[in-house]
Amino acid sequence: MHAIQIPTDHEHVQVKPGRRTGLPVMIGIHSTTLGPAIGGLRIKHYDTPSEGLADCLRLSHAMTYKAAAIDNGTGGGKSVVPLPAGASVTRALKEAILLDVAEQIHDLQGAYMAGPDVGTGPEDMDFIFRRTPWAGGRSKAAGGAGGTTEGTFAGLESAIEAAAEVALGASSVSGLRIAIVGLGGIGTLLARALKAKGASLLLADIDPAREALARELGATWCAPHDAMLAECDVLAPCALGGVVTPEVAGQLRCRVICGAANNILSHDAVAAQLRARGIDYVPDFIANAGGLKYASAVEVHRQAPAEAMRGTCRGIAENVRTVLRGCWDGAGTSVELALALGQRRLDAALARPARPGPAQMQAARG
Ligand code: NAD
């Protein structure tokens, strides 16, 4: 049995029962070196509460590197409320959980800011925001970025274009064969945008209803497994993580992997296997950071939406070029180089004099 690796270098971890529900509210603040720790609030069933805590700690650690790599002036955090087996989430239970979470977040005085994640959406962030200012990814109606899907999609499209430029010498995606696995919120926006730019699409989803999109766009529809192994220029996994195992990596026939799914590789070491096979892998936390970058630009740094979107796309494309070029120069795998990019920004921030804390930033904003 593999031991689960859990990061143990958090600035602050708390697990306290909610006053209303008694359910444990888990908050992991991995790092505030670059700014308030931002990360989604996950409300879902786990087999045991400890699995929820492990998820919270792994994801908050990953958020630090995701935020540092995009240099958006935020740190890494996460919160989890594990639901007991069989519990159905009525609106009353959901609101009681959100009130419990809002109360605990507020007590942290801005060190942690929640966002939408599995089991929560922009409207839940609006609900929390009515009790504490430390909730982002709010609805547009409430003055927020409207969740993270739009930003994540736009950043991913820019990442694919930059990867095509570096890895394939392509000045546009026109004529490229692109396989998208997973046609949910992000995969659907991506398919439409790439089709409009002249790409030839191969689309797949476990939900047969999504075939209608393939028909509408004149794309080839196939089973997810076949799309993963299809001969194509770019493979964009936009459903689940862990899909590129050592075995799958040995069978892939794409030239670039760049998708929205978290943790696309089953292990970081698969990146070296892909490099050896001449496949360029854009690390997930570089490719899918657009939602975080856009929402924090609009809601934390108060940029106008158009400016925030331009900065999101430009920043992600630059990161993709840096990482893939470094990889081509033999400086390391794309995963190692992406982590190093984030680490350099963390080290540089630690070497500078102390910055104002989140509570001071909030006070200064009024
Ligand atoms: P979504 O839930 O809207 O869509 C996921 C789609 O994948 C669904 O259509 C589902 O039917 C399909 N799917 C599930 N299992 C599949 C399988 N085995 N094979 C093929 N298709 C399968 O999710 P989304 O918001 O589009 O996000 C896509 C991925 O990107 C998720 O893994 C998500 O965690 C990740 N991500 C999303 C964001 C964001 O802002 N939405 C940010 C970072 C990462």
Side-chain angles (χ1 to χ4, degrees):
M1 199 175 92
H2 289 295
I4 300 173
Q5 289 198 339
I6 300 175
T8 53
D9 55 350
H10 283 65
E11 284 178 16
H12 177 84
V13 177
Q14 70 179 47
V15 182
K16 293 205 293 195
R19 282 199 308 129
R20 295 157 190 82
T21 64
L23 291 173
V25 176
M26 303 168 168
I27 302 178
I29 297 178
H30 179 255
S31 169
T32 56
T33 300
L34 295 174
I38 292 191
L41 164 62
R42 192 165 273 205
I43 302 178
K44 72 181 273 272
H45 291 96
Y46 290 89
D47 287 344
T48 62
S50 4
E51 284 179 30
L53 184 57
D55 217 16
C56 179
L57 298 184
R58 277 196 300 266
L59 292 164
S60 49
H61 176 272
M63 285 303 289
T64 294
Y65 287 88
K66 184 167 179 165
I70 55 172
D71 203 15
N72 67 334
T74 67
K78 200 83 184 176
S79 51
V80 168
V81 178
L83 296 170
S88 60
V89 187
T90 59
R91 189 61 213 167
L93 175 60
K94 181 78 169 281
E95 289 191 356
I97 292 174
L98 295 175
L99 287 170
D100 282 346
V101 172
E103 199 168 83
Q104 293 198 22
I105 290 176
H106 195 69
D107 287 346
L108 291 167
Q109 298 178 20
Y112 168 69
M113 185 170 185
D117 200 271
V118 177
T120 55
E123 287 70 27
D124 297 319
M125 294 305 118
D126 295 351
F127 187 87
I128 294 179
F129 190 72
R130 290 198 281 276
R131 275 95 194 155
T132 177
W134 305 109
R138 303 187 305 276
S139 70
K140 287 184 184 171
T148 53
T149 301
E150 252 180 77
T152 304
F153 145 68
L156 176 61
E157 187 187 16
S158 300
I160 289 175
E161 288 173 330
E165 175 198 315
V166 176
L168 311 172
S171 58
S172 88
V173 294
S174 178
L176 295 186
R177 188 165 159 78
I178 301 181
I180 304 175
V181 183
L183 301 170
I186 294 171
T188 298
L189 290 171
L190 185 67
R192 290 190 194 286
L194 294 176
K195 174 70 187 176
K197 290 183 174 172
S200 158
L201 299 179
L202 190 62
L203 302 181
D205 197 292
I206 41 162
D207 179 357
R210 306 309 297 150
E211 187 177 355
L213 180 71
R215 276 198 303 274
E216 178 198 322
L217 299 180
T220 305
W221 171 256
C222 65
H225 178 262
D226 296 340
M228 285 292 299
L229 302 185
E231 190 169 351
C232 61
D233 295 300
V234 180
L235 169 65
C238 293
L240 306 178
V243 285
V244 181
T245 59
E247 192 194 347
V248 169
Q251 298 172 48
L252 290 173
R253 292 188 295 152
C254 58
R255 296 166 71 191
V256 170
I257 302 174
C258 184
N262 288 311
N263 304 319
I264 290 173
L265 307 186
S266 61
H267 307 90
D268 284 355
V270 178
Q273 194 186 346
L274 293 172
R275 184 85 282 274
R277 291 204 57 220
I279 298 172
D280 284 274
Y281 169 65
V282 178
D284 48 0
F285 65 94
I286 296 284
N288 70 18
L292 172 65
K293 184 148 174 101
Y294 177 69
S296 49
V298 170
E299 298 183 34
V300 178
H301 304 302
R302 310 286 166 107
Q303 286 179 10
E307 181 195 356
M309 194 55 94
R310 273 195 302 277
T312 295
C313 295
R314 194 174 48 238
I316 287 184
E318 269 168 27
N319 277 350
V320 172
R321 290 190 197 100
T322 303
V323 165
L324 293 190
R325 284 188 185 134
C327 204
W328 276 65
D329 292 343
T333 69
S334 56
V335 173
E336 289 163 350
L337 294 172
L339 287 171
L341 191 69
Q343 191 62 57
R344 273 200 300 280
R345 288 179 179 144
L346 286 163
D347 292 345
L350 283 170
R352 285 196 295 270
R355 50 179 287 139
Q360 290 157 284
M361 285 163 61
Q362 175 70 8
R365 287 205 302 250

